[in-house]
Structure formats: C-alpha cells, structure tokens
Amino acid sequence: MVRGAETLYYNPAGLAGLPGISFSSFYASQMGVASYSAFSLALRGFAVAAELYSSGSIDGYDAAGNLIPGELGYSSSAYMFGFGVDPSMFSFLPKLPFSFSVGGVLKVVSTKIADVAGSGFAFDLAFRMDIPPMSLGPRAVTDAAFGVTLANLFGGLSYDATQDSLPMDIGLGLSARLLGVVLIAADVHLAGSLGVGVTYEPVPTLALRLGILSKGETSITAGVGLNVAGFLIDYAFVSHSVGATHRIGLTLDFSALDIGALGGMLRRILP
C-alpha cells in the first residue's frame, strides 16, 4: 500500500484516494554503479513525475579490441502524467455497493546508449478495489485492497533507423492491515517477478519493513520509515549478488503537515 505521490509509480488508480497535495522524491544507488532518481507531485486525481536513470561510464571496445573508455554509457528519462478517478467524484453516478477506482499514466520516454538516442511514449492502465473490513477469528483485517496494472499497454521507442516496442507487463497486487499495526502486501508480475513484504508500525511515526523480491534471483529487502509532522523519510535496502541497492526518499504530505508541531520540534532541536 503506497501513500502520497509515489502512488503514480505503482498503481495510478490510487490517485483517486489521495486526501490532498503530496510531493515525493527519492534517490537510489544501484549496485554501487548506476543512479536512479525521481520526483513527483500529486493531488487527488492527478499527478506528474520525472524519472532519471544513468548507468555511469561503461568502457567499450572497438572492432580491433582497443579500449574506448566511457563509450557505452546508458541513460534514460521519463516524464509521467497520471490520473485516477472513482465513481464518488461524479455526483450524477449512482452509489455503488463496492469501492473501486481506475487510472492511467502517459509516459514520455527518451534513452541514450553510447551515441545512439531514441524517444517515444507508452501508456499504462490500472484498477484498484477496496475490500471491506473483515475478521479472521479475533483478528481484524482492515485497509485491504486489490489492484491490477497493465504496463506499456501501447507505445514504443523510435531510433534513427529502427523502432522498438516496450515490453507489456501485467501486475496483480493485494494488501491488508492486521491488528491495526501490521501491513502485508504481495504482488506478482507476469513478466517474471514476485514480491512479498511486511510493514510493522509500532507507533504512527515509525514503520519497519522487511520483504523478499524474486526477479531473476531472490533478494532480501528491508527498510525504515519516519513520519515527522507530515514529512515522511524512507530508507530501503535491496540485496543482490552483484551489489546492493540503497534508496533514500522524502515525501511531503501537505494534507497531514502540522506546521505548529514542526516548528516546535525545530525550536527544541536547533540552538
């Protein structure tokens, strides 16, 4: 279950449920070589984002086997425009017995491999349905939701002499909260990945995360999140046989931002 502007990346249908304006950013160092960063701004029903990726300098070789330093670098950027709607946004629609939302993302993409550049676009479609609270014996199950995403439904990349289609992927996700403090989430992608994660929130300001990701190989994921008066700070770690990925993120949830509490905290910390 993703909150705030990052909803755009995982299931844009969730944008329909945002309570207010949210800004999110993160930076990831992948395997100690590549860098990946993103920025997003969202409000109820709409979001925009930018993603930037760079592999750094990669040495290449010419036909004679001579080293060409930094010849094969790879970089890409994507600018995203997303929406999410649910029936409650339209007063003329009758009230339905269940809650759901749909959404989509238009992605404008550009890539560069060595000195070959390409550009194009793609479109994603998403569905999200809330599951009513239930009980498993004495244990309450709340905030349950089911989602479906269709990535790269159409679109592609164009280079000087060729055109490439972007691989389509279908994702299924399910999440639920147990006992009010434990969130369990799982998702599977037909392209070949499976993820399962658990978040424990002993207090409203702290989230401890642990999970398993299977995508070619099995990785262990772990992280911690802090919510300080509407400022959400997250750190995540993903293991890999080549090298670990470290990610740090910052989200500003303006709907929950408590200026008074934040000012009081800063006065206690600063000299």
Tab-separated table of all heavy atoms in Angstrom, residues 59-120:
chain	number	residue	atom	x	y	z
A	59	ASP	N	33.083	1.245	-20.057
A	59	ASP	CA	34.108	1.137	-21.092
A	59	ASP	C	33.640	0.242	-22.235
A	59	ASP	O	32.925	-0.740	-22.028
A	59	ASP	CB	35.405	0.583	-20.509
A	59	ASP	CG	36.051	1.537	-19.516
A	59	ASP	OD1	35.738	2.742	-19.591
A	59	ASP	OD2	36.835	1.079	-18.674
A	60	GLY	N	34.048	0.595	-23.453
A	60	GLY	CA	33.737	-0.215	-24.622
A	60	GLY	C	35.002	-0.564	-25.383
A	60	GLY	O	36.114	-0.136	-25.024
A	61	TYR	N	34.845	-1.360	-26.451
A	61	TYR	CA	35.976	-1.779	-27.275
A	61	TYR	C	35.598	-1.634	-28.744
A	61	TYR	O	34.453	-1.863	-29.128
A	61	TYR	CB	36.356	-3.230	-26.980
A	61	TYR	CG	36.847	-3.450	-25.571
A	61	TYR	CD1	35.948	-3.682	-24.534
A	61	TYR	CD2	38.208	-3.408	-25.270
A	61	TYR	CE1	36.391	-3.879	-23.224
A	61	TYR	CE2	38.654	-3.597	-23.969
A	61	TYR	CZ	37.752	-3.834	-22.961
A	61	TYR	OH	38.189	-4.025	-21.672
A	62	ASP	N	36.564	-1.235	-29.570
A	62	ASP	CA	36.293	-1.142	-30.998
A	62	ASP	C	36.492	-2.494	-31.662
A	62	ASP	O	36.780	-3.498	-30.985
A	62	ASP	CB	37.167	-0.065	-31.644
A	62	ASP	CG	38.661	-0.351	-31.504
A	62	ASP	OD1	39.030	-1.520	-31.240
A	62	ASP	OD2	39.461	0.591	-31.665
A	63	ALA	N	36.356	-2.544	-32.999
A	63	ALA	CA	36.436	-3.808	-33.727
A	63	ALA	C	37.803	-4.467	-33.595
A	63	ALA	O	37.933	-5.696	-33.723
A	63	ALA	CB	36.103	-3.577	-35.199
A	64	ALA	N	38.815	-3.666	-33.333
A	64	ALA	CA	40.170	-4.213	-33.187
A	64	ALA	C	40.490	-4.625	-31.758
A	64	ALA	O	41.595	-5.100	-31.479
A	64	ALA	CB	41.190	-3.181	-33.672
A	65	GLY	N	39.527	-4.430	-30.862
A	65	GLY	CA	39.748	-4.813	-29.478
A	65	GLY	C	40.390	-3.751	-28.630
A	65	GLY	O	40.814	-4.023	-27.494
A	66	ASN	N	40.465	-2.536	-29.136
A	66	ASN	CA	41.071	-1.444	-28.369
A	66	ASN	C	40.058	-0.854	-27.391
A	66	ASN	O	38.885	-0.671	-27.726
A	66	ASN	CB	41.562	-0.354	-29.316
A	66	ASN	CG	42.620	-0.851	-30.277
A	66	ASN	OD1	43.571	-1.519	-29.869
A	66	ASN	ND2	42.449	-0.538	-31.565
A	67	LEU	N	40.508	-0.550	-26.207
A	67	LEU	CA	39.663	0.013	-25.164
A	67	LEU	C	39.236	1.436	-25.509
A	67	LEU	O	40.058	2.262	-25.903
A	67	LEU	CB	40.404	0.007	-23.826
A	67	LEU	CG	39.682	0.657	-22.635
A	67	LEU	CD1	38.443	-0.142	-22.270
A	67	LEU	CD2	40.620	0.753	-21.432
A	68	ILE	N	37.923	1.711	-25.345
A	68	ILE	CA	37.391	3.055	-25.527
A	68	ILE	C	36.716	3.441	-24.210
A	68	ILE	O	35.583	3.020	-23.932
A	68	ILE	CB	36.379	3.127	-26.682
A	68	ILE	CG1	36.980	2.550	-27.964
A	68	ILE	CG2	35.921	4.563	-26.902
A	68	ILE	CD1	36.013	2.517	-29.122
A	69	PRO	N	37.398	4.186	-23.344
A	69	PRO	CA	36.831	4.497	-22.019
A	69	PRO	C	35.509	5.246	-22.121
A	69	PRO	O	35.360	6.195	-22.903
A	69	PRO	CB	37.913	5.372	-21.381
A	69	PRO	CG	39.170	5.034	-22.118
A	69	PRO	CD	38.741	4.743	-23.519
A	70	GLY	N	34.531	4.816	-21.348
A	70	GLY	CA	33.250	5.507	-21.245
A	70	GLY	C	32.400	5.474	-22.489
A	70	GLY	O	31.476	6.276	-22.627
A	71	GLU	N	32.641	4.549	-23.403
A	71	GLU	CA	31.955	4.553	-24.688
A	71	GLU	C	30.501	4.082	-24.600
A	71	GLU	O	29.643	4.536	-25.351
A	71	GLU	CB	32.725	3.654	-25.679
A	71	GLU	CG	32.064	3.447	-27.032
A	71	GLU	CD	32.027	4.712	-27.884
A	71	GLU	OE1	32.743	5.665	-27.531
A	71	GLU	OE2	31.294	4.740	-28.879
A	72	LEU	N	30.191	3.175	-23.678
A	72	LEU	CA	28.887	2.516	-23.687
A	72	LEU	C	27.969	2.936	-22.551
A	72	LEU	O	27.207	2.126	-22.034
A	72	LEU	CB	29.083	0.989	-23.651
A	72	LEU	CG	29.861	0.393	-24.832
A	72	LEU	CD1	30.019	-1.101	-24.661
A	72	LEU	CD2	29.152	0.719	-26.145
A	73	GLY	N	28.022	4.176	-22.152
A	73	GLY	CA	27.129	4.648	-21.097
A	73	GLY	C	25.669	4.600	-21.531
A	73	GLY	O	25.342	4.757	-22.709
A	74	TYR	N	24.802	4.362	-20.564
A	74	TYR	CA	23.357	4.314	-20.836
A	74	TYR	C	22.645	5.301	-19.917
A	74	TYR	O	22.960	5.394	-18.724
A	74	TYR	CB	22.803	2.908	-20.594
A	74	TYR	CG	21.290	2.856	-20.634
A	74	TYR	CD1	20.612	2.800	-21.845
A	74	TYR	CD2	20.539	2.884	-19.457
A	74	TYR	CE1	19.232	2.762	-21.893
A	74	TYR	CE2	19.152	2.848	-19.495
A	74	TYR	CZ	18.501	2.788	-20.705
A	74	TYR	OH	17.127	2.771	-20.754
A	75	SER	N	21.690	6.032	-20.468
A	75	SER	CA	20.886	6.937	-19.650
A	75	SER	C	19.476	6.975	-20.209
A	75	SER	O	19.245	6.711	-21.404
A	75	SER	CB	21.487	8.349	-19.632
A	75	SER	OG	21.505	8.908	-20.936
A	76	SER	N	18.533	7.288	-19.360
A	76	SER	CA	17.141	7.409	-19.796
A	76	SER	C	16.405	8.384	-18.892
A	76	SER	O	16.805	8.618	-17.741
A	76	SER	CB	16.432	6.044	-19.773
A	76	SER	OG	16.265	5.590	-18.445
A	77	SER	N	15.347	8.942	-19.418
A	77	SER	CA	14.491	9.836	-18.643
A	77	SER	C	13.051	9.578	-19.052
A	77	SER	O	12.774	9.192	-20.196
A	77	SER	CB	14.859	11.305	-18.858
A	77	SER	OG	14.678	11.672	-20.222
A	78	ALA	N	12.148	9.774	-18.113
A	78	ALA	CA	10.722	9.593	-18.386
A	78	ALA	C	9.945	10.675	-17.661
A	78	ALA	O	10.203	10.952	-16.478
A	78	ALA	CB	10.256	8.208	-17.929
A	79	TYR	N	9.017	11.279	-18.376
A	79	TYR	CA	8.126	12.278	-17.788
A	79	TYR	C	6.719	11.701	-17.829
A	79	TYR	O	6.249	11.249	-18.875
A	79	TYR	CB	8.230	13.596	-18.552
A	79	TYR	CG	9.631	14.159	-18.516
A	79	TYR	CD1	10.530	13.889	-19.548
A	79	TYR	CD2	10.063	14.914	-17.432
A	79	TYR	CE1	11.826	14.380	-19.496
A	79	TYR	CE2	11.357	15.409	-17.379
A	79	TYR	CZ	12.235	15.136	-18.407
A	79	TYR	OH	13.531	15.610	-18.347
A	80	MET	N	6.071	11.695	-16.658
A	80	MET	CA	4.827	10.951	-16.495
A	80	MET	C	3.680	11.886	-16.114
A	80	MET	O	3.858	12.799	-15.310
A	80	MET	CB	5.021	9.871	-15.421
A	80	MET	CG	6.249	9.010	-15.653
A	80	MET	SD	6.715	7.990	-14.218
A	80	MET	CE	5.353	6.842	-14.210
A	81	PHE	N	2.532	11.607	-16.704
A	81	PHE	CA	1.311	12.361	-16.413
A	81	PHE	C	0.220	11.332	-16.095
A	81	PHE	O	-0.166	10.548	-16.963
A	81	PHE	CB	0.916	13.224	-17.609
A	81	PHE	CG	2.029	14.101	-18.114
A	81	PHE	CD1	2.932	13.632	-19.056
A	81	PHE	CD2	2.190	15.386	-17.622
A	81	PHE	CE1	3.968	14.429	-19.519
A	81	PHE	CE2	3.223	16.193	-18.076
A	81	PHE	CZ	4.117	15.714	-19.025
A	82	GLY	N	-0.247	11.330	-14.851
A	82	GLY	CA	-1.175	10.297	-14.423
A	82	GLY	C	-2.488	10.838	-13.901
A	82	GLY	O	-2.595	12.006	-13.521
A	83	PHE	N	-3.493	9.967	-13.887
A	83	PHE	CA	-4.809	10.319	-13.358
A	83	PHE	C	-5.404	9.113	-12.655
A	83	PHE	O	-5.042	7.966	-12.916
A	83	PHE	CB	-5.751	10.775	-14.488
A	83	PHE	CG	-6.179	9.655	-15.400
A	83	PHE	CD1	-7.338	8.927	-15.150
A	83	PHE	CD2	-5.413	9.305	-16.507
A	83	PHE	CE1	-7.729	7.887	-15.978
A	83	PHE	CE2	-5.797	8.280	-17.345
A	83	PHE	CZ	-6.955	7.561	-17.083
A	84	GLY	N	-6.314	9.387	-11.744
A	84	GLY	CA	-7.066	8.340	-11.066
A	84	GLY	C	-8.444	8.863	-10.721
A	84	GLY	O	-8.579	9.980	-10.211
A	85	VAL	N	-9.475	8.100	-11.012
A	85	VAL	CA	-10.846	8.529	-10.759
A	85	VAL	C	-11.625	7.387	-10.117
A	85	VAL	O	-11.328	6.202	-10.325
A	85	VAL	CB	-11.561	8.970	-12.067
A	85	VAL	CG1	-10.899	10.195	-12.656
A	85	VAL	CG2	-11.578	7.833	-13.088
A	86	ASP	N	-12.614	7.765	-9.306
A	86	ASP	CA	-13.555	6.785	-8.764
A	86	ASP	C	-14.972	7.349	-8.898
A	86	ASP	O	-15.150	8.562	-9.087
A	86	ASP	CB	-13.227	6.410	-7.320
A	86	ASP	CG	-13.406	7.568	-6.352
A	86	ASP	OD1	-14.459	8.230	-6.396
A	86	ASP	OD2	-12.504	7.805	-5.533
A	87	PRO	N	-15.990	6.501	-8.827
A	87	PRO	CA	-17.363	6.969	-9.057
A	87	PRO	C	-17.816	8.087	-8.128
A	87	PRO	O	-18.676	8.896	-8.506
A	87	PRO	CB	-18.195	5.693	-8.854
A	87	PRO	CG	-17.262	4.573	-9.155
A	87	PRO	CD	-15.923	5.032	-8.677
A	88	SER	N	-17.246	8.165	-6.904
A	88	SER	CA	-17.685	9.196	-5.959
A	88	SER	C	-17.344	10.599	-6.440
A	88	SER	O	-17.880	11.579	-5.922
A	88	SER	CB	-17.060	8.945	-4.589
A	88	SER	OG	-15.654	9.157	-4.622
A	89	MET	N	-16.439	10.730	-7.424
A	89	MET	CA	-16.090	12.044	-7.954
A	89	MET	C	-17.186	12.621	-8.844
A	89	MET	O	-17.146	13.807	-9.173
A	89	MET	CB	-14.781	11.955	-8.743
A	89	MET	CG	-13.554	11.643	-7.909
A	89	MET	SD	-12.076	11.563	-8.964
A	89	MET	CE	-10.776	11.467	-7.733
A	90	PHE	N	-18.113	11.777	-9.250
A	90	PHE	CA	-19.143	12.209	-10.181
A	90	PHE	C	-20.513	12.075	-9.518
A	90	PHE	O	-21.016	10.961	-9.323
A	90	PHE	CB	-19.080	11.384	-11.463
A	90	PHE	CG	-17.716	11.363	-12.094
A	90	PHE	CD1	-16.840	10.311	-11.870
A	90	PHE	CD2	-17.292	12.420	-12.888
A	90	PHE	CE1	-15.584	10.292	-12.441
A	90	PHE	CE2	-16.030	12.416	-13.463
A	90	PHE	CZ	-15.173	11.359	-13.239
A	91	SER	N	-21.099	13.208	-9.154
A	91	SER	CA	-22.346	13.198	-8.389
A	91	SER	C	-23.513	12.592	-9.157
A	91	SER	O	-24.483	12.136	-8.542
A	91	SER	CB	-22.696	14.632	-7.964
A	91	SER	OG	-22.816	15.478	-9.103
A	92	PHE	N	-23.434	12.576	-10.484
A	92	PHE	CA	-24.559	12.062	-11.265
A	92	PHE	C	-24.578	10.537	-11.339
A	92	PHE	O	-25.551	9.950	-11.808
A	92	PHE	CB	-24.518	12.643	-12.687
A	92	PHE	CG	-23.250	12.355	-13.437
A	92	PHE	CD1	-23.101	11.179	-14.155
A	92	PHE	CD2	-22.206	13.262	-13.405
A	92	PHE	CE1	-21.927	10.917	-14.841
A	92	PHE	CE2	-21.023	13.009	-14.098
A	92	PHE	CZ	-20.876	11.829	-14.816
A	93	LEU	N	-23.514	9.889	-10.859
A	93	LEU	CA	-23.487	8.428	-10.878
A	93	LEU	C	-24.137	7.879	-9.620
A	93	LEU	O	-23.992	8.441	-8.532
A	93	LEU	CB	-22.045	7.921	-10.970
A	93	LEU	CG	-21.307	8.206	-12.284
A	93	LEU	CD1	-19.871	7.700	-12.192
A	93	LEU	CD2	-22.017	7.554	-13.462
A	94	PRO	N	-24.846	6.756	-9.716
A	94	PRO	CA	-25.459	6.160	-8.518
A	94	PRO	C	-24.393	5.579	-7.598
A	94	PRO	O	-23.306	5.199	-8.051
A	94	PRO	CB	-26.350	5.050	-9.107
A	94	PRO	CG	-25.705	4.710	-10.420
A	94	PRO	CD	-25.148	5.985	-10.948
A	95	LYS	N	-24.692	5.525	-6.320
A	95	LYS	CA	-23.759	4.967	-5.355
A	95	LYS	C	-23.689	3.456	-5.524
A	95	LYS	O	-24.716	2.775	-5.576
A	95	LYS	CB	-24.196	5.318	-3.928
A	95	LYS	CG	-23.183	4.887	-2.872
A	95	LYS	CD	-23.581	5.362	-1.485
A	95	LYS	CE	-22.551	4.957	-0.449
A	95	LYS	NZ	-22.915	5.421	0.915
A	96	LEU	N	-22.473	2.930	-5.608
A	96	LEU	CA	-22.266	1.507	-5.834
A	96	LEU	C	-22.011	0.789	-4.515
A	96	LEU	O	-21.527	1.386	-3.548
A	96	LEU	CB	-21.083	1.297	-6.779
A	96	LEU	CG	-21.231	1.943	-8.169
A	96	LEU	CD1	-19.953	1.773	-8.969
A	96	LEU	CD2	-22.413	1.345	-8.910
A	97	PRO	N	-22.298	-0.518	-4.462
A	97	PRO	CA	-22.107	-1.263	-3.211
A	97	PRO	C	-20.654	-1.582	-2.895
A	97	PRO	O	-20.350	-2.129	-1.834
A	97	PRO	CB	-22.912	-2.543	-3.453
A	97	PRO	CG	-22.909	-2.712	-4.934
A	97	PRO	CD	-22.953	-1.313	-5.496
A	98	PHE	N	-19.748	-1.269	-3.797
A	98	PHE	CA	-18.329	-1.511	-3.548
A	98	PHE	C	-17.531	-0.318	-4.063
A	98	PHE	O	-18.001	0.466	-4.892
A	98	PHE	CB	-17.853	-2.800	-4.218
A	98	PHE	CG	-18.105	-2.841	-5.705
A	98	PHE	CD1	-17.133	-2.435	-6.606
A	98	PHE	CD2	-19.329	-3.284	-6.203
A	98	PHE	CE1	-17.360	-2.454	-7.966
A	98	PHE	CE2	-19.561	-3.316	-7.568
A	98	PHE	CZ	-18.579	-2.904	-8.454
A	99	SER	N	-16.315	-0.169	-3.532
A	99	SER	CA	-15.478	0.986	-3.857
A	99	SER	C	-14.347	0.565	-4.787
A	99	SER	O	-13.621	-0.385	-4.505
A	99	SER	CB	-14.902	1.590	-2.579
A	99	SER	OG	-14.009	2.642	-2.861
A	100	PHE	N	-14.213	1.284	-5.896
A	100	PHE	CA	-13.127	0.993	-6.825
A	100	PHE	C	-12.704	2.280	-7.516
A	100	PHE	O	-13.403	3.295	-7.472
A	100	PHE	CB	-13.553	-0.048	-7.861
A	100	PHE	CG	-14.487	0.490	-8.917
A	100	PHE	CD1	-13.998	0.953	-10.132
A	100	PHE	CD2	-15.855	0.542	-8.699
A	100	PHE	CE1	-14.847	1.464	-11.095
A	100	PHE	CE2	-16.715	1.049	-9.658
A	100	PHE	CZ	-16.209	1.509	-10.869
A	101	SER	N	-11.550	2.227	-8.168
A	101	SER	CA	-11.054	3.361	-8.935
A	101	SER	C	-10.249	2.846	-10.121
A	101	SER	O	-9.749	1.711	-10.108
A	101	SER	CB	-10.187	4.282	-8.064
A	101	SER	OG	-9.107	3.576	-7.488
A	102	VAL	N	-10.133	3.672	-11.142
A	102	VAL	CA	-9.326	3.342	-12.310
A	102	VAL	C	-8.378	4.501	-12.578
A	102	VAL	O	-8.629	5.643	-12.157
A	102	VAL	CB	-10.200	3.064	-13.555
A	102	VAL	CG1	-11.061	1.840	-13.353
A	102	VAL	CG2	-11.064	4.284	-13.891
A	103	GLY	N	-7.287	4.217	-13.250
A	103	GLY	CA	-6.314	5.262	-13.521
A	103	GLY	C	-5.431	4.908	-14.693
A	103	GLY	O	-5.498	3.802	-15.245
A	104	GLY	N	-4.606	5.843	-15.067
A	104	GLY	CA	-3.688	5.633	-16.176
A	104	GLY	C	-2.505	6.568	-16.095
A	104	GLY	O	-2.533	7.569	-15.371
A	105	VAL	N	-1.465	6.244	-16.847
A	105	VAL	CA	-0.253	7.062	-16.891
A	105	VAL	C	0.238	7.145	-18.329
A	105	VAL	O	0.402	6.119	-18.998
A	105	VAL	CB	0.882	6.475	-16.026
A	105	VAL	CG1	2.124	7.367	-16.106
A	105	VAL	CG2	0.457	6.316	-14.589
A	106	LEU	N	0.461	8.360	-18.800
A	106	LEU	CA	1.132	8.587	-20.071
A	106	LEU	C	2.600	8.887	-19.776
A	106	LEU	O	2.906	9.805	-19.011
A	106	LEU	CB	0.494	9.751	-20.818
A	106	LEU	CG	1.185	10.162	-22.129
A	106	LEU	CD1	1.115	9.046	-23.152
A	106	LEU	CD2	0.584	11.451	-22.675
A	107	LYS	N	3.499	8.105	-20.399
A	107	LYS	CA	4.929	8.254	-20.159
A	107	LYS	C	5.627	8.699	-21.444
A	107	LYS	O	5.499	8.037	-22.476
A	107	LYS	CB	5.529	6.921	-19.682
A	107	LYS	CG	4.907	6.398	-18.401
A	107	LYS	CD	5.489	5.062	-17.991
A	107	LYS	CE	5.044	3.945	-18.903
A	107	LYS	NZ	5.431	2.600	-18.396
A	108	VAL	N	6.346	9.812	-21.359
A	108	VAL	CA	7.157	10.295	-22.474
A	108	VAL	C	8.607	9.945	-22.152
A	108	VAL	O	9.166	10.423	-21.159
A	108	VAL	CB	6.997	11.811	-22.666
A	108	VAL	CG1	7.850	12.293	-23.833
A	108	VAL	CG2	5.526	12.165	-22.901
A	109	VAL	N	9.204	9.088	-22.972
A	109	VAL	CA	10.478	8.458	-22.638
A	109	VAL	C	11.553	8.845	-23.647
A	109	VAL	O	11.292	8.954	-24.851
A	109	VAL	CB	10.329	6.918	-22.621
A	109	VAL	CG1	11.633	6.249	-22.191
A	109	VAL	CG2	9.187	6.503	-21.707
A	110	SER	N	12.766	9.038	-23.148
A	110	SER	CA	13.929	9.216	-24.018
A	110	SER	C	15.085	8.391	-23.460
A	110	SER	O	15.237	8.257	-22.248
A	110	SER	CB	14.335	10.688	-24.126
A	110	SER	OG	14.735	11.197	-22.862
A	111	THR	N	15.888	7.800	-24.354
A	111	THR	CA	17.014	6.970	-23.949
A	111	THR	C	18.236	7.308	-24.786
A	111	THR	O	18.129	7.848	-25.908
A	111	THR	CB	16.705	5.473	-24.119
A	111	THR	OG1	16.543	5.182	-25.523
A	111	THR	CG2	15.446	5.083	-23.376
A	112	LYS	N	19.402	6.954	-24.253
A	112	LYS	CA	20.636	7.124	-24.996
A	112	LYS	C	21.594	6.005	-24.631
A	112	LYS	O	21.885	5.780	-23.453
A	112	LYS	CB	21.273	8.480	-24.696
A	112	LYS	CG	22.503	8.767	-25.562
A	112	LYS	CD	23.053	10.154	-25.319
A	112	LYS	CE	24.237	10.434	-26.229
A	112	LYS	NZ	24.814	11.777	-25.999
A	113	ILE	N	22.039	5.257	-25.636
A	113	ILE	CA	23.019	4.190	-25.459
A	113	ILE	C	24.237	4.558	-26.292
A	113	ILE	O	24.155	4.616	-27.526
A	113	ILE	CB	22.461	2.829	-25.912
A	113	ILE	CG1	21.148	2.519	-25.181
A	113	ILE	CG2	23.477	1.725	-25.659
A	113	ILE	CD1	20.461	1.274	-25.681
A	114	ALA	N	25.343	4.846	-25.624
A	114	ALA	CA	26.530	5.382	-26.292
A	114	ALA	C	26.123	6.666	-27.022
A	114	ALA	O	25.640	7.593	-26.391
A	114	ALA	CB	27.145	4.340	-27.220
A	115	ASP	N	26.249	6.704	-28.353
A	115	ASP	CA	25.858	7.907	-29.091
A	115	ASP	C	24.556	7.711	-29.862
A	115	ASP	O	24.228	8.516	-30.736
A	115	ASP	CB	26.966	8.325	-30.054
A	115	ASP	CG	27.315	7.218	-31.048
A	115	ASP	OD1	26.799	6.086	-30.880
A	115	ASP	OD2	28.099	7.469	-31.977
A	116	VAL	N	23.798	6.662	-29.533
A	116	VAL	CA	22.525	6.387	-30.201
A	116	VAL	C	21.386	6.811	-29.275
A	116	VAL	O	21.268	6.309	-28.153
A	116	VAL	CB	22.384	4.895	-30.549
A	116	VAL	CG1	21.037	4.624	-31.213
A	116	VAL	CG2	23.522	4.456	-31.459
A	117	ALA	N	20.545	7.736	-29.752
A	117	ALA	CA	19.456	8.265	-28.932
A	117	ALA	C	18.110	7.843	-29.509
A	117	ALA	O	17.951	7.661	-30.721
A	117	ALA	CB	19.535	9.785	-28.859
A	118	GLY	N	17.150	7.663	-28.613
A	118	GLY	CA	15.807	7.309	-29.029
A	118	GLY	C	14.778	7.969	-28.127
A	118	GLY	O	15.097	8.415	-27.017
A	119	SER	N	13.542	8.035	-28.601
A	119	SER	CA	12.472	8.626	-27.811
A	119	SER	C	11.153	7.981	-28.193
A	119	SER	O	11.028	7.348	-29.251
A	119	SER	CB	12.402	10.149	-28.039
A	119	SER	OG	12.130	10.431	-29.405
A	120	GLY	N	10.167	8.150	-27.317
A	120	GLY	CA	8.855	7.576	-27.592
A	120	GLY	C	7.922	7.796	-26.429
A	120	GLY	O	8.145	8.660	-25.577
